[in-house]
Amino acid sequence: MNKPELNGDSQAPNRTGFIHLAFSVGSKEQVDTLTGRMKADGWEVISGPRTTGDGYYESCVSGFEGNLIEITL
């Protein structure tokens, strides 16, 4: 994979190394519920909940140390 916009900055969303965790929660309703709960608790929702271009239902939340937390169906 080649991704020209990769950045060496340790806080940039497009960087090399470990950048995200993904959790499958089992249903669209659970994705919506957990995303809403995290938002209410002060976490920054980056995207979603939504169906991606490749057919996944997910949301993405900015987690600790700049890592992204992906909540999936």
Side-chain angles (χ1 to χ4, degrees):
M1 181 177 166
N2 183 13
K3 199 170 187 182
E5 67 272 13
L6 286 179
N7 190 320
D9 178 0
S10 66
Q11 295 301 310
N14 284 312
R15 64 184 185 270
T16 58
F18 183 71
I19 65 165
H20 87 281
L21 297 169
F23 296 95
S24 175
V25 295
S27 71
K28 285 184 175 184
E29 292 78 17
Q30 291 288 31
V31 172
D32 295 344
T33 299
L34 185 53
T35 303
R37 182 174 174 188
M38 291 184 78
K39 183 175 183 175
D41 287 346
W43 297 92
E44 178 187 2
V45 177
I46 303 297
S47 66
R50 65 192 178 106
T51 301
T52 63
D54 53 359
Y56 291 97
Y57 190 75
E58 67 178 27
S59 67
C60 191
V61 177
S62 180
F64 54 93
E65 296 181 353
N67 290 309
L68 301 177
I69 300 170
E70 193 175 303
I71 306 165
T72 68
L73 171 70

